[in-house]
Amino acid sequence: MESTADRIIAAAEALFYEHGLRSVGVEAIAERAGVTKRTLYNHFDSKDALIAAYLQARDSATVDRYRSWLGDPALPLTERVTRLFAALAQHAAHPRWRGCGFTRAAVELAGQPGHPAVQMAARHKTGFVGWLEREFRDAGANDPARLAAHIALLIEGAIARMLIHGDAACALSAGEAAVTLVIADRNAAPEREARAPEYTEE
C-alpha cells in the first residue's frame, strides 16, 4: 500500500516535471496528493526538502531505465550503445517528455549551488557516469572511464538539443558519435603494465 509520503512525492514528481520547480506551490502538490498542506509539512519540512526527495526517488529509477535501454550484456557494445540512443530518441518523442529532471533542476537553481536539489543532481550525474563506466568495463572496454565520460556528455548534449529544437533525431546523431567512440576504444592498444625483469641465476 502506498504511504502518504510516497503519494506526496508522486504528486510532486508529476507537477515538478511538467511545470518546473519554481512555478509549482505546495498547495497544488497537496491537492494532487489528496492531503492537507499541514500533512505535507508533517512529512517534509519544506518545499526544498520535498524537491530533494522527488529527485532522490528518480535516481535509481533513471539509471534502471538507461540500463534497460543499454540491454543485454551479451550483445556487442556498439549494438547496445546504438539501442540506448535509439530508445532515448523514442522516449523523447513522447509529447509529455520534458528532458532530464536532474539537469532541469540544476539549471533552474543554478544561482543556488548549495541547494539540496543541485547537490542531488550532481550526485546523480556522477553516479550515472560511474554506472556507465562499470558497464563498459564489464564489456571489455580498454578505457571505460574515458568512454563513460564522453558518452555521458553525448547523452546530455542530445537531451539539451532535443529540448531546444524538439527533434528526437538529435539522439540518433549522438548515438552515431557514441558508436565511433566505442569503436575507437576497441581499436586502441590497451596499456601494458610495466614488468620487472625476470630474475635469472647467473
Side-chain angles (χ1 to χ4, degrees):
M1 183 176 179
E2 188 179 42
S3 69
T4 300
D6 288 340
R7 285 209 328 271
I8 295 170
I9 290 172
E13 177 176 355
L15 291 172
F16 285 149
Y17 187 71
E18 180 73 18
H19 303 291
L21 302 179
R22 294 185 185 280
S23 62
V24 176
V26 292
E27 297 87 353
I29 296 169
E31 181 179 354
R32 180 154 185 153
V35 301
T36 64
K37 219 163 93 168
R38 179 187 292 275
T39 298
L40 185 150
Y41 279 121
N42 283 340
H43 287 82
F44 302 96
D45 293 339
S46 64
K47 181 181 175 181
D48 284 351
L50 179 54
I51 291 171
Y54 140 70
L55 290 175
Q56 180 65 55
R58 291 182 66 94
D59 184 33
S60 60
T62 299
V63 175
D64 286 344
R65 182 169 65 249
Y66 277 89
R67 181 181 288 110
S68 71
W69 291 350
L70 191 59
D72 188 354
L75 294 173
L77 189 54
T78 50
E79 183 175 344
R80 296 175 70 200
V81 167
T82 297
R83 289 186 177 198
L84 183 152
F85 281 90
L88 175 59
Q90 184 177 12
H91 189 64
H94 193 284
R96 295 181 63 184
W97 184 77
R98 298 291 185 273
C100 173
F102 295 94
T103 300
R104 288 179 56 198
V107 170
E108 193 170 350
L109 300 170
Q112 300 173 251
H115 193 286
V118 177
Q119 296 174 345
M120 180 64 221
R123 287 195 298 272
H124 169 77
K125 295 298 182 179
T126 299
F128 184 82
V129 174
W131 163 72
L132 276 178
E133 180 180 347
R134 291 189 296 274
E135 290 285 344
F136 295 157
R137 179 177 293 108
D138 291 344
N142 285 314
D143 193 345
R146 187 168 183 266
L147 186 61
H150 288 175
I151 288 184
L153 284 173
L154 286 171
I155 292 171
E156 287 288 340
I159 290 171
R161 288 187 66 82
M162 287 188 293
L163 279 172
I164 293 168
H165 299 292
D167 183 3
C170 293
L172 301 179
S173 296
E176 293 175 3
V179 167
T180 65
L181 292 175
V182 173
I183 294 172
D185 173 85
R186 184 179 63 198
N187 293 337
E191 294 181 4
R192 303 189 181 208
E193 295 182 1
R195 295 184 182 178
E198 294 182 4
Y199 172 77
T200 57
E201 186 174 348
E202 296 183 357

